[in-house]
Amino acid sequence: MKPIAPPWLPTLNTLLILVSGVAILVGYAFIRNRRTTLHHRSMLTGTAFAALFLALYVIRAILFQTKLFAGHGIVRTVYLTILASHTLLAIAVAPLALITLFLAYRGDFVRHRRIARLTLPIWLYVAATGWIIYWMLYRVQ
């Protein structure tokens, strides 16, 4: 049987995805104000923090027990609904983010903007629901 993760590890993991989401929001604000260099830096920062989150999450899943939600009734249904949408969209956002970055790197800004309009809200939803899942799993019970 796997050991239980140290209590600081899920918090660190959640902070990484939160920082990623904030960096993406800041980057969006920069591009709306035509500050392309700062937009570029913010988006790369958001991507780096998301990659750190993913690496730590996978390592944590391999090394430690998975914490199960202990709530019952409607709270459990709400939790599982959020978790399902979060998981499906997290799977979708990874390739979308890579394509969005690749198009920007190639200088294909017309297609970059088109796919970024889809990628941005999904990424932000995944970051926000990740925080909600953490809160419900580790703080509410």
Side-chain angles (χ1 to χ4, degrees):
M1 189 153 174
K2 295 178 186 178
I4 296 172
W8 56 266
L9 191 54
T11 304
L12 173 62
N13 213 194
T14 303
L15 286 173
L16 290 172
I17 201 61
L18 181 66
V19 170
S20 172
V22 169
I24 296 303
L25 268 176
V26 169
Y28 176 72
F30 280 139
I31 201 60
R32 298 299 297 164
N33 290 302
R34 302 192 192 293
R35 303 193 60 192
T36 55
T37 300
L38 292 173
H39 166 74
H40 177 129
R41 290 178 184 161
S42 292
M43 294 310 197
L44 289 178
T45 299
T47 302
F49 274 91
L52 284 171
F53 160 81
L54 183 59
L56 185 60
Y57 182 84
V58 169
I59 291 167
R60 193 176 94 204
I62 291 169
L63 296 178
F64 299 106
Q65 289 181 27
T66 300
K67 181 163 174 68
L68 300 177
F69 185 71
H72 301 284
I74 190 73
V75 175
R76 184 172 184 77
T77 302
V78 168
Y79 172 80
L80 292 174
T81 301
I82 293 169
L83 180 62
S85 67
H86 170 84
T87 302
L88 291 172
L89 290 173
I91 291 167
V93 81
L96 285 171
L98 292 174
I99 293 166
T100 304
L101 290 168
F102 178 73
L103 291 172
Y105 174 76
R106 283 192 32 208
D108 188 348
F109 296 113
V110 171
R111 289 175 60 203
H112 168 78
R113 270 190 300 277
R114 191 177 310 136
I115 197 164
R117 288 184 179 129
L118 176 64
T119 306
L120 175 71
I122 294 172
W123 192 325
L124 293 176
Y125 179 84
V126 168
T129 55
W131 186 258
I132 292 167
I133 290 164
Y134 165 80
W135 179 75
M136 291 182 79
L137 196 55
Y138 292 95
R139 299 295 176 206
V140 170
Q141 299 181 22

